[in-house]
Structures are given as structure tokens and as C-alpha cells.
Amino acid sequence: MIEQQHWHPVASACDLGAAPLAAHLLGQPLVLWRDDAGRAHAFADRCPHRGARLSLGRVEGGRLECPYHGWQFEGGGRCMHVPALPQFQPPAGHRVGAFGVREAHGLVWVRLAPEPAAGDAAADLPLPTFPAEDDARLRKLNCGPYDVAASAPRIIENFLDMSHFGFVHEGWLGARGAAAIDAYEVEPTPTGLRATGCKAWQPQSNLHSTAAAQVEYTYEVTGPYAAVLTKLPEAGTTAVEGWRESIALYICPLTPETSRVWFRLAVADFDSPDEKLRAFQHTIFTQDQPVLESQVPKCLPLDLRAELHTAADKASSAYRRHLKTSGITFGVC
Ligand code: FES
Ligand code: CO
């Protein structure tokens, strides 16, 4: 599966402390843990001795210890100690599957494919980018995770979709009387697509809105299950001077039909408490969630004949085409 070569978020970095943490990615149970230097590791959550769940174990002396017979594994996955045979030197083949791990955007990211050979650029895919991450004028915080009974591609597509604003987010991001979508531009990019010139009329576009506003959106698909939007309301409609925001959507595909979802918010607001900023995003996403969970089929159909499309769906049609040409199979049908 090509999706195994991509990096996916599996946990909030702050949730991975001294104890091992169970996670799931692309149908694979994982155990995450930190060694004594604080470095995160991700293994298959199954002990190669008798199949117990390593996530029920603990970290001892910088190694992950199985809960059943106490075998200890170092960060690379190799078994270093078998308590029932203290003199035994486990051979190199006594190991558990270890996966690539990165920490970025407040999340732990895992790639299931083996580390590519040096110089194999095609297999060495970068993490999804988030240009706002390095912008010191924007404050960053995460919202989530949300466990959602929908496929990751359905959730990305909903994020790119403006024509639901007046119905799902009525009174917030849209109004049923102002649901028309002006033409906008979509261009393909190596990671998916970019949509620009998207406009929406929004009664309450953000936490600090003082008036309904025309809001300009741009969207970018940054990975098979990752996307970023930026939104800019017209001047004078927000209590915070110079308000702008960028939101990244990061999805962990747990199974083809279930997902764990985070939003990374980047906002020009250093004063509001975290809870208040999260509450706005929470309100919006919990409006989307029941609709997302109702969609049938749960996997996103890549055959464009399977559902009906209009010009207003240009971005989502381009996303479907991109998934098809890049060979994505998880969460699509
Ligand atoms: Fe893990 Fe025996 S099952 S040590
Ligand atoms: Co929505």
C-alpha cells in the first residue's frame, strides 16, 4: 500500500509520556513509547514471543518491557534481555517490528514502510507541510483528537467543501439564503491540489467576528489525508485587528471506515485562552460529524460516475482524481 510510505499522525505528542501508549494506523495496532532521552518509538503492538500486547507493558531502563514475560526491547526493536534466561544474548532476529517516527505540529507521526535507502527521494516522502507553523505572528494550538466513524478521505473532502456551509453551519459559516458558490480556481500540486479565490459569506466566521463578512479561503491538500485552509475575513468585521487564521486538518486513518482527527489552529490571537479557541472549532466540527458519519458508502468513491458532481464541487473532484492517480487504496472504493 502506497499509504504506508506516507507519514500519518497517530497521537498527540503531549499524550505520550512515560507510559507506553496504544495507537492504530492503517489497520496496524501500534505501541508508542519514549526512551530515557525522550525519543519516541513506534512498534507493532504484539510481542514476538507469545503475542501479548506490548502497550500493556512499561518502560524500564530506556527499553520497552513486555507485560507477559518481561522481555525488553531497545528503540530499534531488538530484544536485549530475556529475564527467564539472564545470561542469554538474544540473536539479532529476536526483534519486534519498529516503524519510523517523527514529532511535528504537536503530534507523533508514523510511517509503516521501512526507512527508504539513502537517496531514494521517491520513497522518502516529507511530512505534510503547514506554512503557518513557522509564522511567529500566529499562535498554534491543537484541537482534538476526534474519533469519527467516517473514512479519512470523506473527512478531507468535507474540509474542502464550501457548499455545505449554509446548511450544516447555518448562522456560523453560512446562511441558506447565501449558499451560491462563485467560480474558483483549482490547480494540481505534487501533494494534491490548491484551490484559490474561494469566497464565502459568513455570519460568524471566527471567534471574534463582529459582523457577517465576505471571507476569502484558500485550500491546499498536503498529503493523502491532510489539508490546510487559510481564511481571511474582509477588514473591519473582526474584533481582533489583523485577524487571520490557518487551519491544518490531520487525519489518522485507523481503519478504512474510521478515523482519528486533529485540527492544528494557527491564529493571530495571543490573548484568548486555549479553551475558547478550541471551543469555536469544536462547535464547527461537531456540526460536520453527524453528516460525515451518515455518508454511504463510508469509503470515498473514486469512480467519478459513482456520485454526482457540479462545478461547485471542483476541489473535491480534483481530490478524488489525485487519490486515484497516486494509487491510494485505504478509505476509498
Ligand atoms: Fe512478551 Fe512473552 S509474550 S515476553
Ligand atoms: Co463543515
Side-chain angles (χ1 to χ4, degrees):
M1 281 198 299
I2 188 84
E3 21 309 65
Q4 294 190 338
Q5 289 183 13
H6 288 266
W7 293 98
H8 303 281
V10 294
S12 299
C14 59
D15 287 344
L16 180 55
L21 183 69
H24 227 86
L25 173 62
L26 296 167
Q28 167 72 53
L30 299 175
V31 52
L32 311 176
W33 62 283
R34 289 191 192 278
D35 63 24
D36 284 353
R39 239 190 104 165
H41 302 279
F43 293 171
D45 195 8
R46 181 184 175 278
C47 181
H49 179 220
R50 290 294 180 264
R53 284 189 97 86
L54 291 168
S55 54
L56 299 176
R58 60 189 201 183
V59 179
E60 268 298 317
R63 297 170 180 163
L64 180 63
E65 184 184 277
C66 177
Y68 198 0
H69 311 97
W71 286 25
Q72 290 182 352
F73 301 88
E74 53 82 45
R78 185 163 171 189
C79 178
M80 305 301 285
H81 182 54
V82 174
L85 281 177
Q87 305 313 324
F88 174 62
Q89 297 269 327
H94 278 40
R95 59 171 52 249
V96 58
F99 305 113
V101 181
R102 298 267 191 283
E103 286 190 56
H105 313 305
L107 301 169
V108 179
W109 297 74
V110 170
R111 169 168 61 191
L112 295 180
E115 289 293 323
D120 184 358
D124 198 9
L125 295 162
L127 263 68
T129 53
F130 187 31
E133 192 71 56
D134 302 320
D135 187 336
R137 295 162 302 171
L138 296 174
R139 164 185 175 192
K140 269 71 76 177
L141 74 158
N142 284 4
C143 186
Y146 294 93
D147 284 329
V148 184
S151 66
R154 284 276 194 201
I155 301 168
I156 291 291
E157 188 174 272
N158 169 65
F159 189 73
L160 303 175
D161 179 290
M162 291 194 299
S163 55
H164 75 284
F165 287 169
F167 303 93
V168 176
H169 308 294
E170 189 172 18
W172 293 82
L173 304 185
R176 59 174 53 230
I181 300 294
D182 290 348
Y184 57 94
E185 299 305 316
V186 178
E187 51 171 341
T189 65
T191 58
L193 63 96
R194 185 180 300 114
T196 51
C198 312
K199 289 186 271 314
W201 186 85
Q202 304 197 319
Q204 169 86 32
S205 140
N206 63 70
L207 178 60
H208 300 294
S209 293
T210 51
Q214 181 77 16
V215 182
E216 177 133 4
Y217 276 72
T218 62
Y219 293 96
E220 186 151 358
V221 172
T222 53
Y225 315 120
V228 172
L229 68 75
T230 59
K231 52 190 284 189
L232 194 61
E234 58 192 312
T237 59
T238 302
V240 172
E241 196 54 44
W243 172 269
R244 61 199 177 94
E245 63 185 321
S246 188
I247 302 175
L249 167 62
Y250 294 130
I251 308 179
C252 176
L254 300 170
T255 71
E257 300 187 353
T258 61
S259 306
R260 184 161 292 177
V261 174
W262 288 266
F263 296 95
R264 184 147 182 86
L265 312 180
V267 291
D269 174 358
F270 287 84
D271 299 322
S272 301
D274 286 0
E275 296 326 309
K276 221 173 147 190
L277 290 161
R278 288 194 183 108
F280 186 88
Q281 189 61 29
H282 180 80
T283 299
I284 301 299
F285 187 64
T286 50
Q287 292 169 342
D288 286 311
Q289 191 169 353
V291 178
L292 277 169
E293 294 184 338
S294 79
Q295 285 178 283
V296 175
K298 287 200 160 302
C299 288
L300 185 75
L302 295 191
D303 181 344
L304 290 183
R305 292 165 302 184
E307 293 182 334
L308 303 176
H309 314 273
T310 72
D313 305 314
K314 206 160 131 183
S316 62
S317 303
Y319 174 59
R320 293 183 187 204
R321 277 196 297 274
H322 173 76
L323 292 180
K324 187 160 193 170
T325 52
S326 46
I328 296 293
T329 58
F330 202 85
V332 300
C333 57

